[in-house]
Amino acid sequence: KMATDLPNVVFVLGGPGSGKGTQCARIVDTYGWVHLSAGDLLRAEVASGSPDGEMISNYIKEGKIVPVEVTCNLLRKAMETSGKKNFLIDGFPRNQNNYDGWNRVMGEAANVAMVLFFDCSEEVMRKRLLGRAETSGRTDDNEATILKRFRVFQEESMPVIAQFEQEGLLRAVSAEQTPDEVFEVVRGVLSPLTGE
């Protein structure tokens, strides 16, 4: 269901360290889609030093989820300024509040084509995140915060993923193989949208 006049959105979900960013980069390189990471947009807003950035910073430090209107408006702005049609939105919606907020703020303004879910065990994700912490400089890549993020994902994101499944939008991909192997599966999943 590709509405011609609306931008097409594929939500990309998966636990922290499931490889969402890596796969999104591959999709962008292959198909020229625009990758919007809710987290990156929020971090950029923080770096800008705006009053919104200050507020967002406090939420991120606490490991809390930023108010959905803030995130939706950053996403909307990024979609409008890109001039493109096909978007990967990564790490959103993370919870029921995000899901409801998207429908409220963006429901009429975008066509959600599918939801890509990168399914990965916590053990694999933990290893990847601790590896990434050595190079990323991200303050949330430490053992205690990682465990907190896993718990938040289980409690808040999994119910939304179940909801997308009921709506027939969910496409689950096992994310434990190498990035190349995962991407082969992703290409097949996206083929209705890419015409491959």
Side-chain angles (χ1 to χ4, degrees):
K1 45 168 214 194
M2 304 284 277
T4 45
D5 43 346
L6 294 178
N8 293 304
V9 167
V10 172
F11 288 132
V12 182
L13 297 173
S18 58
K20 297 187 298 292
T22 302
Q23 293 301 320
C24 284
R26 286 295 207 18
I27 295 168
V28 169
D29 287 346
T30 308
Y31 303 114
W33 291 16
V34 179
H35 171 214
L36 299 176
S37 155
D40 287 349
L41 288 171
L42 291 165
R43 281 187 284 274
E45 193 67 25
V46 169
S48 79
S50 72
D52 270 355
E54 182 84 4
M55 172 199 57
I56 292 165
S57 170
N58 291 329
Y59 278 95
I60 292 176
K61 276 187 201 124
E62 295 289 309
K64 289 189 183 144
I65 288 174
V66 175
V68 66
E69 284 71 19
V70 175
T71 307
C72 283
N73 286 322
L74 290 173
L75 288 166
R76 178 196 284 261
K77 203 163 61 180
M79 285 166 74
E80 284 169 358
T81 55
S82 77
K84 293 272 183 79
K85 283 279 298 180
N86 293 315
F87 298 90
L88 299 165
I89 297 184
D90 159 13
F92 184 92
R94 286 181 177 234
N95 59 14
Q96 189 65 44
N97 169 45
N98 280 185
Y99 175 94
D100 295 340
W102 171 271
N103 289 335
R104 205 166 52 241
V105 176
M106 296 294 294
E108 301 298 301
N111 170 51
V112 177
M114 68 172 66
V115 179
L116 258 185
F117 170 48
F118 291 107
D119 201 2
C120 199
S121 72
E122 289 194 359
E123 188 45 41
V124 170
M125 292 192 287
R126 193 175 140 275
K127 284 201 181 103
R128 287 178 183 169
L129 289 170
L130 291 173
R132 177 173 88 178
E134 292 164 19
T135 56
S136 74
R138 275 183 57 171
T139 55
D140 56 356
D141 283 342
N142 63 68
E143 188 91 44
T145 312
I146 287 168
L147 290 173
K148 195 191 288 183
R149 288 164 71 206
F150 285 161
R151 202 162 53 242
V152 169
F153 182 77
Q154 276 303 328
E155 291 169 6
E156 304 202 1
S157 297
M158 285 311 289
V160 171
I161 287 164
Q163 209 162 331
F164 283 129
E165 189 163 26
Q166 284 173 343
E167 292 170 21
L169 287 172
L170 196 72
R171 309 287 180 272
V173 172
S174 169
E176 304 212 344
Q177 294 77 12
T178 67
D180 285 344
E181 291 167 316
V182 174
F183 187 60
E184 275 314 298
V185 179
V186 167
R187 289 182 81 133
V189 168
L190 292 178
S191 62
L193 304 182
T194 60
E196 266 202 322

